[in-house]
Amino acid sequence: MDLGLASKRIIVTGGSRGIGLSIAESCAKEGARVAICGRSQASLDAAAATLAAYGGEVVAHSCDVGDPEDLAAFLERARQDLGGLDGLVNNPSAFGHQDDEESWRSNLDVDLLGVVRATRFAADAIEEDSGGAIVNISSISGIGASGNIAYGAAKAAVIHATQSYARKLAAKRIRVNAIAPGSIEFPGGLWDQRRREEPEKYQSTLAVIPFGRMGHPEEIGKVAAFLLSDVASWITGQTITVDGGQNL
């Protein structure tokens, strides 16, 4: 299916690896012009090379999404490089999994306030007459209570913000949706690390997934590309769970 993303200008924060890179890749495959950010220059360079192979324009800049000034500078630079903005994906996470001050602060700064700040920017940058879309990456940890209290609370707030901004921005024809991934495994990621270092935790999580496997980043990327596209033109304020039945 042609999603109609050709030449669309899309920013993906936290797009240098894992889910973020797969989202950017799904968009690039559809012909979109993509801007990504991350904190590791080596990962950014590798991601940019991957995306450039699809023949479209790729913009990659380092950015700490938890730093308001750094994020604002990246978003404006990306908008100028792309010549405008049609879509935004808020993907990064601090992955603070402890119930301590540092985890709460980092998750709120990155997972929640990073979404809020970037959404405010997109609300002004996306042209009202053409409309656009915002996709926020939450988690199934944000849908119900989990052991990751600070992380789950921040992701739950992302779902609430998604619904609120969807209502607020509908008049500008900007759709706002969220994706709640389950456990996603990729080289160097959290579940790859746990498979090697915490095999009992890995296996206990695997055991509650009806599909019998961890998810793949591209399974999130394809859903994000769909939500960014006009094929999803009547979908807003929704949270799409992509978890192989893990949260049933």
Side-chain angles (χ1 to χ4, degrees):
M1 178 184 292
D2 181 1
L3 295 178
L5 288 178
S7 299
K8 293 290 187 181
R9 301 155 298 182
I10 296 171
I11 294 175
V12 182
T13 57
S16 62
R17 61 194 294 268
I19 289 174
L21 176 56
S22 286
I23 292 171
E25 194 168 3
S26 292
C27 294
K29 286 179 179 178
E30 293 287 332
R33 301 156 63 189
V34 180
I36 61 172
C37 72
R39 289 194 288 184
S40 166
Q41 191 60 51
S43 294
L44 276 173
D45 291 343
T50 296
L51 297 173
Y54 297 105
E57 181 179 0
V58 179
V59 174
H61 299 300
S62 62
C63 173
D64 178 359
V65 174
D67 182 323
E69 293 183 359
D70 205 17
L71 176 60
F74 162 71
L75 291 169
E76 179 56 31
R77 185 175 179 182
R79 184 191 66 80
Q80 291 182 10
D81 288 346
L82 294 175
L85 183 62
D86 300 298
L88 166 70
V89 181
N90 289 305
N91 169 70
S93 176
F95 292 111
H97 289 305
Q98 303 301 317
D99 184 17
D100 55 26
E101 287 291 321
E102 182 179 356
S103 290
W104 276 94
R105 185 176 297 108
S106 61
N107 281 320
L108 291 175
D109 282 345
V110 176
D111 296 59
L112 178 57
L113 289 176
V115 168
V116 170
R117 291 165 181 149
T119 296
R120 288 173 174 168
F121 174 87
D124 292 332
I126 294 174
E127 297 176 9
E128 187 169 346
D129 58 347
S130 59
I134 298 170
V135 177
N136 300 321
I137 304 303
S138 180
S139 167
I140 59 171
S141 293
I143 295 175
S146 71
N148 302 323
I149 299 174
Y151 174 79
K155 291 304 190 182
V158 168
I159 292 173
H160 185 281
T162 296
Q163 295 171 335
S164 298
Y165 278 116
R167 180 179 292 274
K168 181 178 181 178
L169 298 178
K172 290 192 66 175
R173 297 297 181 263
I174 297 175
R175 297 177 296 102
V176 187
N177 292 290
I179 299 173
S183 298
I184 305 298
E185 185 175 1
F186 57 90
L190 174 66
W191 286 105
D192 178 52
Q193 180 181 348
R194 284 183 173 166
R195 178 179 54 79
R196 291 179 283 105
E197 300 177 3
E198 302 177 77
E200 290 185 2
K201 185 173 183 62
Y202 179 92
Q203 290 298 330
S204 65
T205 299
L206 190 63
V208 301
I209 303 175
F211 259 57
R213 65 169 176 83
M214 297 287 180
H216 306 306
E218 57 267 26
E219 292 172 311
I220 309 301
K222 292 174 183 177
V223 176
F226 163 71
L227 290 173
L228 287 165
S229 77
D230 289 340
V231 178
S233 59
W234 199 230
I235 302 175
T236 194
Q238 304 304 305
T239 297
I240 311 298
T241 301
V242 185
D243 68 349
Q246 185 175 353
N247 199 47
L248 294 175

